[in-house]
Amino acid sequence: MKNMRMMMKYRILISCLFGVLTLGFTSCTKNFMDYNTNPDEVTGEMLDGDNFRIGAFFPQMQMVVSPVVPNHFQVSQNLTGDVYAGYMAGIGEWNSGKNGTTCAFVIDDWQDIPFNKVLVSAIGADLSVKKEVGNDISNPVVAFSTILKIACVHRLSDLFGPLPYSKIAEGGSLEIEYDSEETLYKSFFKELTEAINALTSYTKKNPNTFPMADYDLVYDGDYVKWVKFANSLKLRIAMRCSYVDAELARVNAEEAVNHEYGVIMKNADNAVLKSGKGLVVKNPIQTMWDTYSDCRMGAVIQSYMTGYNDPRLPIYFQQTTINGNIGYWGGRTGVAITSKTKWKDFSSPKAYFTDPIIWMTAAECSFLKAEAALNGWNMGVASAEAYEQGIRLSFEEKGASGVDAYLKDEVATPADYKNYIFPNHNANKLSSITIKWNETDTEEKKIERIITQKWIALFPNGAEAWAEYRRTGYPKQFPMIDNFSPDVENKVGPRRIPFPPSEYLLNKTNVEKAVKLLSTPFDGGGTRLWWDTKKHE
């Protein structure tokens, strides 16, 4: 009976996930009787047990934090963050080279999919959970759902800026008012704090209980680890707004780190999505470089990692031979490509379907603490110690050796960029920043050192890497070669992607109001987001 019950749970779970992931707001609760009409005599009692009636929504949300559907991932991260952060070169021939990689935002799906598939799926699932159990954040199920919703929405806010958020639950209309990014971030802090408090209270009253274990592909229902992740997320978004509202950032960063469970500080607690519970999760990066053959190594990461002789390089990328030269070779970004034949010879990412999908790691948290400590905030650790710990944790996570020698290296700098296919793309190195911590350096040089090593450690999380580049200006990026945007500066690259065309069709009044919430009243790729205030060199 137990095996039959579990088999039926996963059969219905998969049916619900398929429906919601492809139809956006469609709820598997709404269509429940369609999926569950008699063949195996499943009773209402069985459906109410083990949180099954709401359980299917949690893998749904987890699968869109970093989207697992390949074409959703491609336009939400691979052809935005991965490319704009310098990790990857998009080598497809889309629209004869005039596409998002060259800041020609003319292919509607590239903006529509993140908005209408990913955002809608995450918020729709959260609303469905709350429809079933109520909106009381002290309920651990609601707290869990809230954390997942914010994990997804904050990434999309960093892509677009303002979003429909607080007004979505008010009705079923397609005409929904947007929240400014400042309002969104303040809501994230409030909701995360409430969710953290709720799950902390629950774990103290109910130690070693995992009521959502059957529906959790990240931590197997361990709420203590979810609190650590929520604190880590709170720390991340606190540092995101550190240049625009330092006091808001400080208060929330210190709360996150000094909470009794703290943030993620060991690799065993890293937030990664993996197969399980009867569901197979395939890392979409292999689809990008292998099935689609649409991306290769980026020139920027070639310059930094080869210059540093970084032991993680062969773990990140595949070696290749170009015109007799063996090595790790990447292509420039911002190039109008009309034939990718030669571009396919550049190094591919070493990423496979079976790899877990990384959300957040102990290394990232250590680098966040290093920067916050440099600001004089109470992180319980000095900048130098947190910086070195971040590198050590990254080497451990990636299975690389030689960390002690790497940390002592005070000579190596990024290398000049060499391109053995298109020599006219060659470029001098972008920076002279070294690896070893130097307490006598200027604060700005320390920031560059922290963010440069953080950027290397974040790979392949291009969404986060691009956000941090925009926020800090590091690591420095090669200028675009082909730029079809009237407002994007070649030197600094795109700052966001425009709102989707579907919003101008279906929600015109509100999206036009949202444009006025931006730093400049122009819905373009060069418009800076609320937290993007630091001037780049």
Side-chain angles (χ1 to χ4, degrees):
M1 177 66 178
K2 181 178 179 181
N3 289 339
M4 187 273 287
R5 179 181 178 184
M6 292 300 294
M7 186 181 301
M8 177 52 59
K9 285 168 66 173
Y10 294 132
R11 183 181 301 170
I12 300 174
L13 174 64
I14 292 167
S15 297
C16 292
L17 285 170
F18 179 79
V20 182
L21 285 169
T22 55
L23 298 178
F25 266 113
T26 302
S27 162
C28 76
T29 301
K30 176 181 176 182
N31 297 318
F32 194 77
M33 291 308 294
D34 295 334
Y35 294 126
N36 191 34
T37 306
N38 196 11
D40 293 289
E41 296 290 343
V42 180
T43 67
E45 181 182 359
M46 289 170 62
L47 294 171
D48 287 332
D50 297 336
N51 295 307
F52 180 62
R53 200 176 288 276
I54 56 172
F57 296 110
F58 288 88
Q60 176 192 333
M61 284 187 277
Q62 291 176 346
M63 288 182 181
V64 294
V65 171
S66 178
V68 302
V69 176
N71 69 318
H72 296 181
F73 173 82
Q74 185 171 38
V75 295
S76 298
Q77 175 169 315
N78 191 240
L79 297 177
T80 54
D82 291 349
V83 169
Y84 302 152
Y87 283 167
M88 310 279 189
I91 67 169
E93 302 153 3
W94 310 282
N95 198 38
S96 301
K98 293 185 177 182
N99 53 66
T101 68
T102 52
C103 295
F105 301 103
V106 294
I107 304 176
D108 292 357
D109 278 356
W110 287 31
Q111 292 127 269
D112 281 333
I113 285 176
F115 202 95
N116 295 318
K117 297 291 187 182
V118 180
L119 177 66
V120 166
S121 196
I123 295 181
D126 178 66
L127 290 174
S128 294
V129 169
K130 290 170 181 173
K131 181 180 179 181
E132 290 288 338
V133 301
N135 199 23
D136 183 358
I137 193 68
S138 66
N139 183 328
V141 171
V142 175
F144 183 19
S145 180
T146 297
I147 293 167
L148 286 173
K149 175 190 66 174
I150 294 172
C152 180
V153 175
H154 99 86
R155 285 169 56 108
L156 290 165
S157 176
D158 290 346
L159 199 60
F160 292 103
L163 290 174
Y165 186 71
S166 64
K167 304 295 194 300
I168 285 180
E170 293 182 359
S173 172
L174 294 174
E175 297 181 2
I176 304 171
E177 187 177 344
Y178 284 60
D179 291 316
S180 71
E181 201 167 15
E182 179 179 6
T183 299
L184 286 169
Y185 265 63
K186 289 178 178 178
S187 179
F188 296 160
F189 287 133
K190 179 178 181 294
E191 291 178 82
L192 281 174
T193 299
E194 291 172 344
I196 288 164
N197 291 340
L199 291 188
T200 301
S201 176
Y202 179 86
T203 57
K204 288 182 175 181
K205 295 175 182 176
N206 305 274
N208 300 314
T209 58
F210 309 100
M212 298 300 293
D214 287 344
Y215 314 100
D216 182 1
L217 303 177
V218 178
Y219 288 132
D220 294 317
D222 188 336
Y223 282 158
V224 172
K225 291 185 177 181
W226 278 109
V227 172
K228 291 180 181 180
F229 171 72
N231 279 321
S232 303
L233 192 58
K234 188 175 176 180
L235 175 61
R236 175 195 279 175
I237 64 176
M239 294 310 300
R240 187 79 85 248
C241 58
S242 60
Y243 284 113
V244 69
D245 192 334
E247 184 60 15
L248 177 70
R250 181 194 66 78
V251 168
N252 283 281
E254 289 183 347
E255 282 182 4
V257 169
N258 296 304
H259 180 273
E260 58 189 296
Y261 293 166
V263 298
I264 299 168
M265 287 309 299
K266 58 183 181 180
N267 285 317
D269 292 340
N270 288 349
V272 297
L273 184 72
K274 55 191 181 297
S275 296
K277 322 302 178 187
L279 297 173
V280 176
V281 175
K282 290 185 177 181
N283 191 312
I285 299 177
Q286 181 172 350
T287 303
M288 303 301 104
W289 70 262
D290 185 12
T291 311
Y292 295 171
S293 195
D294 277 347
C295 77
R296 291 295 185 265
M297 181 184 191
V300 181
I301 201 166
Q302 173 189 322
S303 169
Y304 279 84
M305 294 191 78
T306 58
Y308 289 147
N309 297 307
D310 198 303
R312 292 166 289 186
L313 181 55
I315 298 169
Y316 287 6
F317 293 99
Q318 302 175 46
Q319 196 173 64
T320 189
T321 302
I322 297 178
N323 295 332
N325 299 284
I326 302 172
Y328 300 92
W329 309 118
R332 290 283 291 271
T333 56
V335 181
I337 297 171
T338 55
S339 173
K340 64 181 173 182
T341 301
K342 292 182 178 179
W343 287 79
K344 289 193 288 186
D345 291 339
F346 290 119
S347 296
S348 296
K350 193 174 280 187
Y352 303 100
F353 291 134
T354 54
D355 293 341
I357 298 172
I358 298 170
W359 291 0
M360 199 164 192
T361 66
E364 180 186 343
C365 291
S366 288
F367 287 118
L368 289 166
K369 290 170 71 175
E371 183 184 355
L374 195 63
N375 293 341
W377 302 350
N378 178 17
M379 295 290 105
V381 66
S383 289
E385 182 182 349
Y387 168 80
E388 293 184 357
Q389 186 64 21
I391 294 174
R392 289 187 182 279
L393 285 163
S394 176
F395 271 64
E396 177 187 271
E397 175 201 343
K398 306 301 184 183
S401 59
V403 68
D404 290 333
Y406 188 85
L407 285 166
K408 293 175 184 176
D409 191 334
E410 55 185 343
V411 176
T413 63
D416 291 340
Y417 170 65
K418 289 286 187 181
N419 188 319
Y420 291 103
I421 300 177
F422 308 106
N424 59 316
H425 290 181
N426 289 349
N428 294 330
K429 65 183 180 182
L430 296 155
S431 171
S432 59
I433 197 70
T434 52
I435 299 167
K436 184 179 179 181
W437 186 264
N438 184 345
E439 200 61 56
T440 64
D441 277 339
T442 64
E443 181 169 322
E444 190 61 30
K445 198 166 185 178
K446 290 175 182 176
I447 288 288
E448 181 179 4
R449 180 170 285 116
I450 290 169
I451 300 300
T452 298
Q453 288 299 322
K454 178 182 180 182
W455 174 81
I456 295 173
L458 279 169
F459 184 87
N461 187 354
E464 187 60 24
W466 179 42
E468 287 296 80
Y469 163 68
R470 288 176 285 165
R471 181 178 71 88
T472 66
Y474 302 118
K476 297 175 182 177
Q477 305 281 315
F478 293 118
M480 300 177 67
I481 292 175
D482 297 306
N483 178 5
F484 297 105
S485 171
D487 70 318
V488 174
E489 298 178 47
N490 283 1
K491 186 177 179 180
V492 299
R495 319 309 294 174
R496 62 183 288 273
I497 66 171
F499 294 122
S502 59
E503 280 291 280
Y504 283 95
L505 179 65
L506 301 173
N507 195 20
K508 188 173 188 292
T509 298
N510 289 308
V511 75
E512 288 177 347
K513 288 180 180 177
V515 172
K516 296 177 182 178
L517 298 174
L518 295 168
S519 60
T520 58
F522 180 70
D523 184 14
T527 298
R528 289 174 177 258
L529 299 182
W530 168 67
W531 46 259
D532 181 6
T533 60
K534 183 182 178 184
K535 298 300 181 184
H536 292 204
E537 294 181 6

